[in-house]
Structure formats: C-alpha cells, structure tokens
Amino acid sequence: MADRTSLAVRDLAVEFRSEQGVVRALDGVSFDLHAGRTLGVVGESGCGKSVTARSILRIVDRPGRITAGRMILDPGTPREVDLAQLDPESKEMRGVRGGRVGLIFQEPMTALSVHYTVGNQIMEAVLQHADISKAEAQNRAIELLREVGIPRPETRISAYPFELSGGLRQRVGIAMALAGDPEIVIADEPTTALDVTTQAQILSLLRRLQEEKNIALMLITHDMGVIAEMADEVAVMYLGRVVEFAPVEEVFSEPRHPYTRALLRAVPSILATPRQRLSTIGGAVPHPGARPSGCPFHPRCSEQLGALCTEQSPRPVPPGRSGAACFKVDQSEAVTA
Amino acid sequence: MNLLEVQDLKKHYPIRAGLMRREVGRVRAVDGVSFHIAQGETLALVGESGCGKTTVSRCILRALTVTSGAIRFATSETETVDLATLPKRQVRPLRRHIQMIFQDPYASLNPRMMVGDIIAEPLKVNGVPAAERRDRVAELLELVQMPQSARIRFPHAFSGGQRQRVGIARALALNPRLVVADEPVSALDVSVQAQIINLLLDLQDRLGLSMLFVAHDLSVVRHVSDRVAVMYVGRIVEVAPTDTLYRAPLHPYTEALLAAVPAPDPSRRGRRRVAQGEVADPANPPPGCAFHPRCPYAVDRCRIERPELTPTGSGRYVSCHRAAELDLVGVR
C-alpha cells in the first residue's frame, strides 16, 4: 500500500483480572491504520472493538491491562513511539491523546462538560496541544466550529452543550477531536445515537474532513450499512480477535469467515421483500470470560470441521493482508494454491 | 371493522412561565394524527426522535391523557370504545386487550421474579386459576422458543435476546387483540435482532397478531410491517403499504429518510443525497408544511399553507401540496 502507515498494532492483548477470573478482552489483535484511509471495525457487543480504541489511547478502565503487543505510532519515522510502552499518565501520552490521536465518542456528552461553554472546552483542547495565546485559541475554536459545519460559530462558542441538538453536539465532539490537529481519528460508534438523516450528515462530514486533512480514520460500528458507506478496509472482530480483514468490497461480495457471512445474512435490509425472514446465527455471543476452546466461533459455526476447530486456534490474519482466521478458509486456500 | 381507528389525535403539552405559571405556548407533540389498524395487520409508525411516534403509542395505551381526538378500539367483534374519552376506571378492564413489548429487555423484567412468574403475572392479575396459569406459561414458553426450564430461572441468567422473548411471552399471555411494540429490537445485537424479527414474523403468521410497531429503523420496518405511517413533527406525512412506500415514496420527507439509510452494499456508496438541516422544534414548528425548510421541492405555497393528509388511492395517503407532480426516488 502506498499510503503512509500511521499506526501499526501488533498482537495486542488486554486482560481484565478480577476475583471471578481473567477475562481476555483482546486476544492478539493486529492491524494497520493508513493516512487518508478508513479502517472500519465491526462486530457485536463484547467483540473488543471499543477496548481496541481505548487501548490505543491508553484509557482502558481498571482492572483492564495491556498484557502483550505493540502499538507503533508513525512507524519508521523519527516520531515513532510504541504506545503500549508509555505510561498512561505521562506527558508524552497526554500529547498523543487528543493530540496526535483524536477521539470521537458515541454520545458527545461523554466528551463534553455540562459546566463550560463549547467554546471554552474547544479552546482548552487547543491550548493543551499548541503554544498560542488565548485570543488565538478562541479564533481557532471558531474556525473549528465552522469547519464542522456549525452555523454562526461566533455566537455558538458561548453556547452550553445542553443548548444544542444531538447532531450539533456531535459536530462539537468532532471539533474537539480535531482541536489537536490529529493524524489519526478514532470514532467509536459516532452516529449510533443519532437520527438517520443526522447520521448521514455526520458521516459525510467525517468523509470530507478526512479527505481534506488526510486523516487515518478508525471507524468503530456495529452497523454494516455504515461500514459499506465509509470503510476502505474492514476488520471483523469476534470475541477479542480480528477474524477477517479485507477491502470493503471483498467483505461484502465474497466474505471469507463463516461469522462474516452469517452476520451479513442477519442484517435487516432496506431492500428487503415484504415479510422477508432473516438467516440467524444460533445462540448468542458468549461472555468473554467463558471463551470457547479452539476457534472462539466454533459453537455457533455451521461449517465447523470437528476436532480441528474445537481444539486448535486458527492462525490470525497477518497484518497488511486480506484473509480470515479460519481453518476452513486455510484448507480451501491450500487447495487453490 | 377496523381493530383500531385513531382520528385527529392531539397531545399538547403547555409551556408555562412567570409567577402565575401562565401558559405561554404549547409543545404540539402529536398534532392531528389519523390512522387505522385492521385485524391481523402490522402498522409501523416511523420517524426521527421527537416526531411524536412514542407519544402516539402512549396515548393508545392511555399512559397519557389525550388532548383531543378519538381512539376507537374494537374490544370484540361487535363492540367499540373510544379510549381517548373513556374514564380511567373503565380503561382498566380493557388493558388486557392491548399489551406492550418494550425496547430494553434489561429494564423491563423484574430481576427478583422468576421467568415463569413474570410471564404468569398478567394472568394472575386477571384472575386466571393457578393450574391454568401453569399450562399457559408452558404454552407461551414454547411459542417464543424458550426451554421449559427457563420457568424457574431469573432474568439475569439470560441474554438480551432471550429476555426479549420473555417480554414477548408476557405480552401475549392474555391473547391481546393489539400488541404495541416500541422499538422492540433496537437494543439488540445484529445476530439476536434477526432472531427476534423472525419470531415476530412467526407470531404474525401463527396468531394473526395485530401490531403497532413503533421504530426508527427503516430496514427493520421493511421486514415486519404490512403498512407504514411516516411521522414528522407531530403529524403523519405519508401512509402506504410497505413495499409501495419504499419503492415509490410520495412525500419528500419519506424520500429523504430512505436516502439517508446506508445500504449494506459498498457499490451503492455515494449515490445518496443528504437532507440538510435539522428536525423542527414541535414547540415552534415552521408555518405551512413543517418540512418546508428542509425540502428541496418547496414552493411558496408550502411556506404558508399547511397540507392535509389526503387519500391518493390504493390505500395511500400523503400530505404534500406537490405530491401529484413530483417524481420521487425510493430504494430499488
């Protein structure tokens, strides 16, 4: 790929240890983010997509802890740094968080304080990552609000978050994420709480900003429609692993992993015929604390190969390549090779 | 005879201010809504947040006092009551006929009650003897495809999808004439959502269920409903049989809603137009057609004169001055 790699995540593992036992939230996750491209991360609840985002920003909740792996920011450049090795409280990590890496939340109110005006909050974010005067920071805040399509930004900077609609609040959330002039933006379900026409506006805003600023976007969602609309590459996650990685067209036209196939068939479609039934995946996602042996998907898999799948763990997809972590796929590829 | 006929339903909330708490304005949450549901039919009420769809459903359940209008409900083959004006005391015995499926299966089941007791509760309240209750619970568990062993377990032992099955079993316990489902699958994961959608389709077939399906997800709605009513700022802007509405919408807002849904197909990317602006405030709706500030087809008349919901034939209704001349785009 010609695009510059902004972040290389390798073999990332995160565990939550408690009296009830150890929960492996991430189990060897690898992927790359590229400047100007969007990686869509998709999966059901508990698959680890949000923990991945929080790990990159080093804001995993206690008692969660990174037990293995690397997260190399700007690999091969003088600015290269392994985020997994940094102290979450360190000055360097604080420069990354909200600076080199911006974060957009599902509910923008999580990112915004109710006590301060949106202008104050954006200014604070700007001042944290740039050595400029307050007046300059205010101008920058107005500029950012204009960039994210907020009408009359000069007056809106004195508004409190509760005075804004959900759509406008998410635009402010995006302005906050952009305040540190990031090269990577992680958006965790950025449109899930929004109405459908607002969602369409926010997605097209994200697309425009990404193109203008050549941002590497990591878009986390459970919505296959949003993935189809936005992603260049897709990582499908299940129980803390990337089970399939491929360009977006391939994921939809020729999904490799049985889970991806089942998931796509289960999605209700705006193009459905009347009373059309959906294919279902039997059972539910197991609790990450009760991870099945072998391939974590085998108890729900309609294509499993017996002992191989129940006892051994399939090889993860090598980063930078398309593929699926599945013995069945391995076998069919061995035949065609 | 229709099972339910809602006519010119209004639910206004006064805005009070000042020392005397004088009424200074009104939030017109529901402002003149009319529709019907036939026996065995599923009508979807769709729209964005604040459009009034949930308020309509709560009026039908009489969880809210109606400002004006009629809600005629057939309690039997021959008898009809107006739920909007009936005194509270007389609503109570009718509640068994209208049951509700809730959005959040984690919040809607009592964690201290065993599943069997949760499902039996409405039977108990309505004086069904214990032996009969047991048989009925067994029947209901089978109907929603839950194991009989679930009866003596607590809700926390079950996943979100299984809890929603319990909620559905409870709603069906008394053989209600109408089921009101408010966003019944929107809190569920995709794979579980599919199971519950299929279950609802099964129940429609097996029991001839009549349902008011309140939802914001147009994809889900296309799977489960026979007809769709689209709401915008307290009013219905279009009603049509499901397939017709999706293929050939008549109201520009319906067109905008359909265009906004991202289809799970990357080859269709970038083909949609995005509606500008935001949903109007029901406390201060724009004059004329409430959608006119966002409507790409609006003309002067739309800014002044409010359109009425008008039949256009084949069971379709639309409230748009330009409906006859516009050629709008649906999906597929």
Side-chain angles (χ1 to χ4, degrees):
Chain A
M1 244 168 269
D3 302 281
R4 183 171 59 79
T5 304
S6 304
L7 181 74
V9 174
R10 293 290 177 273
D11 310 316
L12 186 64
V14 170
E15 286 181 2
F16 287 78
R17 234 171 243 281
S18 72
E19 281 162 26
Q20 282 89 46
V22 178
V23 171
R24 202 142 227 246
L26 293 185
D27 190 27
V29 166
S30 302
F31 60 84
D32 292 332
L33 295 180
H34 300 280
R37 298 183 73 80
T38 298
L39 173 70
V41 179
V42 68
E44 298 182 277
S45 38
C47 73
K49 50 195 197 300
S50 288
V51 176
T52 306
R54 301 182 79 87
S55 303
I56 294 169
L57 292 153
R58 302 301 308 276
I59 49 170
V60 175
D61 293 321
R62 269 170 212 275
R65 153 180 105 74
I66 295 171
T67 52
R70 289 165 298 154
M71 296 182 283
I72 315 287
L73 191 57
D74 291 318
T77 71
R79 278 155 60 90
E80 173 177 312
V81 56
D82 183 356
L83 301 178
Q85 298 300 325
L86 292 182
D87 174 1
E89 310 293 332
S90 66
K91 189 160 177 247
E92 196 171 5
M93 194 59 227
R94 272 184 286 147
V96 170
R97 206 182 290 131
R100 290 162 78 181
V101 182
L103 179 64
I104 301 168
F105 295 91
Q106 172 174 345
E107 174 42 67
M109 286 308 276
T110 1
L112 297 170
S113 161
V114 293
H115 300 290
Y116 297 92
T117 62
V118 297
N120 266 328
Q121 297 183 58
I122 297 173
M123 275 170 65
E124 194 188 322
V126 168
L127 287 167
Q128 197 143 62
H129 299 286
D131 189 19
I132 53 175
S133 73
K134 269 201 158 168
E136 283 170 312
Q138 182 168 5
N139 288 336
R140 179 88 185 102
I142 294 172
E143 187 48 42
L144 281 164
L145 289 177
R146 183 172 292 122
E147 265 183 37
V148 297
I150 291 186
R152 293 176 286 112
E154 301 81 0
T155 52
R156 282 289 165 71
I157 60 161
S158 18
Y160 288 89
F162 68 84
E163 297 175 298
L164 304 175
S165 68
L168 283 182
R169 280 209 290 259
Q170 192 55 292
R171 285 175 195 268
V172 172
I174 293 171
M176 290 276 283
L178 296 176
D181 210 7
E183 46 187 306
I184 296 172
V185 168
I186 300 174
D188 190 356
E189 302 271 7
T191 58
T192 304
L194 302 175
D195 276 320
V196 58
T197 58
T198 315
Q199 163 171 289
Q201 293 171 1
I202 296 292
L203 291 180
S204 77
L205 170 68
L206 282 175
R207 167 82 54 72
R208 175 172 67 77
L209 291 169
Q210 176 192 38
E211 279 167 17
E212 282 172 17
K213 296 171 187 288
N214 203 32
I215 286 169
L217 180 63
M218 176 171 160
L219 179 66
I220 296 170
T221 178
H222 68 282
D223 186 332
M224 280 291 185
V226 171
I227 290 284
E229 185 73 25
M230 297 289 287
D232 296 305
E233 284 89 32
V234 180
V236 181
M237 292 189 72
Y238 189 78
L239 273 185
R241 295 186 191 173
V242 174
V243 296
E244 174 155 3
F245 188 95
V248 65
E249 300 81 11
E250 283 182 28
V251 166
F252 284 87
S253 64
E254 38 191 315
R256 296 173 171 86
H257 199 284
Y259 176 62
T260 315
R261 276 203 289 279
L263 200 58
L264 284 169
R265 281 196 302 259
V267 177
S269 170
I270 188 90
L271 310 171
T273 56
R275 311 186 62 77
Q276 185 184 322
R277 299 172 59 87
L278 291 155
S279 335
T280 58
I281 312 176
V285 180
H287 188 269
R291 177 188 293 279
S293 62
C295 168
F297 187 60
H298 87 256
R300 304 177 73 192
C301 186
S302 56
E303 303 171 39
Q304 63 142 309
L305 305 166
L308 192 58
C309 298
T310 57
E311 284 163 20
Q312 293 180 51
S313 202
R315 215 158 27 89
V317 186
R321 300 255 305 272
S322 300
C326 173
F327 289 115
K328 184 120 191 262
V329 174
D330 288 352
Q331 285 184 354
S332 60
E333 274 172 6
V335 171
T336 52
Chain B
M1 187 174 63
N2 286 319
L3 178 65
L4 181 77
E5 282 181 12
V6 174
Q7 201 168 41
D8 204 23
L9 179 69
K10 291 184 183 172
K11 175 65 191 175
H12 294 177
Y13 293 94
I15 306 168
R16 296 183 191 279
L19 199 59
M20 306 302 289
R21 314 296 298 152
R22 236 168 10 95
E23 185 176 323
V24 294
R26 283 182 157 208
V27 178
R28 297 165 189 276
V30 175
D31 200 27
V33 159
S34 305
F35 63 87
H36 70 269
I37 298 178
Q39 186 72 52
E41 183 188 45
T42 296
L43 175 78
L45 207 51
V46 305
E48 300 183 275
S49 41
C51 71
K53 55 188 191 297
T54 294
T55 309
V56 169
S57 72
R58 293 177 60 96
C59 287
I60 291 168
L61 294 160
R62 269 299 289 273
L64 293 171
T65 314
V66 171
T67 304
S68 69
I71 303 170
R72 279 187 288 276
F73 177 71
T75 53
S76 68
E77 295 306 313
T78 51
E79 216 176 317
T80 300
V81 295
D82 182 357
L83 293 171
T85 51
L86 211 61
K88 262 237 145 94
R89 206 160 26 86
Q90 291 174 41
V91 172
R92 203 155 189 201
L94 299 177
R95 290 206 189 278
R96 59 174 301 159
H97 296 308
I98 307 181
Q99 292 288 316
M100 173 113 193
I101 301 171
F102 297 91
Q103 173 174 3
D104 184 353
Y106 290 88
S108 54
L109 303 180
N110 186 340
R112 290 161 178 263
M113 279 170 81
M114 285 189 286
V115 162
D117 295 334
I118 291 174
I119 298 173
E121 182 83 357
L123 299 166
K124 203 170 163 188
V125 170
N126 280 274
V128 177
E132 242 173 86
R133 287 205 299 265
R134 262 199 306 281
D135 294 348
R136 181 72 182 135
V137 169
E139 219 174 278
L140 288 160
L141 282 171
E142 199 195 321
L143 191 66
V144 298
Q145 296 147 29
M146 291 277 288
Q148 294 298 329
S149 57
R151 185 195 284 265
I152 49 161
R153 301 181 71 184
F154 289 94
H156 70 82
F158 296 99
S159 67
Q162 288 171 313
R163 288 184 209 206
Q164 197 58 306
R165 289 176 194 269
V166 174
I168 293 171
R170 175 179 59 187
L172 298 177
L174 292 162
N175 280 321
R177 296 176 66 79
L178 177 69
V179 171
V180 175
D182 194 346
E183 302 278 8
V185 298
S186 61
L188 305 174
D189 265 324
V190 176
S191 65
V192 179
Q193 193 179 45
Q195 296 168 7
I196 299 296
I197 289 173
N198 285 352
L199 175 63
L200 290 173
L201 289 169
D202 278 347
L203 295 173
Q204 287 169 346
D205 289 344
R206 287 178 62 179
L207 309 176
L209 213 58
S210 311
M211 189 154 57
L212 177 67
F213 191 88
V214 179
H216 72 282
D217 186 327
L218 288 147
S219 304
V220 171
V221 164
R222 189 157 192 182
H223 284 269
V224 300
S225 60
D226 300 309
R227 287 189 305 130
V228 181
V230 181
M231 284 190 75
Y232 189 75
V233 198
R235 294 173 68 89
I236 290 178
V237 297
E238 179 167 3
V239 185
T242 305
D243 213 37
T244 319
L245 184 111
Y246 283 73
R247 283 169 189 271
L250 290 178
H251 197 284
Y253 177 62
T254 313
E255 182 189 49
L257 267 185
L258 292 173
V261 178
D265 177 359
S267 67
R268 303 171 75 94
R269 187 188 276 200
R271 282 215 271 148
R272 59 214 184 98
R273 276 167 305 142
V274 178
Q276 299 304 309
E278 299 207 320
V279 176
D281 178 1
N284 187 20
C289 170
F291 189 59
H292 87 253
R294 305 176 70 190
C295 182
Y297 312 105
V299 293
D300 286 343
R301 188 182 174 200
C302 307
R303 297 182 242 289
I304 304 156
E305 189 189 328
R306 191 162 78 174
E308 293 300 324
L309 194 64
T310 321
T312 65
S314 334
R316 306 195 67 172
Y317 298 81
V318 65
S319 97
C320 173
H321 295 307
R322 303 193 61 198
E325 44 174 315
L326 294 176
D327 189 15
L328 303 181
V329 183
V331 285
R332 182 163 287 169

